[in-house]
Amino acid sequence: MHLEDYAVGDKAELGSHLFTAEDIIRFASKYDPQPFHLSEEGGRAGPFKRLAASGWHTCAVWMRLLLGFHTRLARERVAAGLPVGRVGPSPGFSDLSWKRPVYAGDQITYFTEVLETRPSASRPGWGVLRARNSAVNQDGAEVLEFTSVVLVERRPA
């Protein structure tokens, strides 16, 4: 898709991920080795009173699901004979909030919603897309929220 194909208010479900104790511990062992992410015992002694996923783990899953979503969109457009614009890189994000802990056994569903699109002032042929990203657990409680910014190719004139 090109920047012009996105409209403010467009919302997409990116997919879901089941967080298992094994995955939580594996990620934390490599990237966020705090005791409450590394074992059930550490979780019970920590602020969440259970083994909890790293917030960075929840963000990494969002990234994987976002890339999968863009890949599916691109394949659909190619199959329909439509042009595919490039997406990325991102100049950053803001307002990251981990609203609730993610526990082993939680099924987390991720979303993205377009907040703004505009031409890039510094990169001809590109635009800026700002989005609200969120995730909810199986009970519908929001566990993650942040605003992202990404460069998106504009439709050729």
Side-chain angles (χ1 to χ4, degrees), residues 59-82:
C59 289
V61 170
W62 169 84
M63 189 74 222
R64 181 178 51 81
L65 291 174
L66 179 72
L67 292 175
F69 175 76
H70 282 294
T71 299
R72 287 190 305 276
L73 282 180
R75 285 184 182 143
E76 289 170 8
R77 291 184 68 82
V78 167
L82 297 170

Side-chain angles (χ1 to χ4, degrees), residues 22 26 38 75 113 119 133 135 139 142 157:
E22 295 79 16
R26 185 179 313 111
L38 292 172
R75 285 184 182 143
E113 180 179 358
N133 302 282
D139 300 320
E142 195 168 66

Side-chain angles (χ1 to χ4, degrees), residues 27-35 37-38 54-56:
F27 183 94
S29 295
K30 290 182 179 180
Y31 305 110
D32 192 356
Q34 297 181 75
H37 298 319
L38 292 172
S54 166
W56 297 114

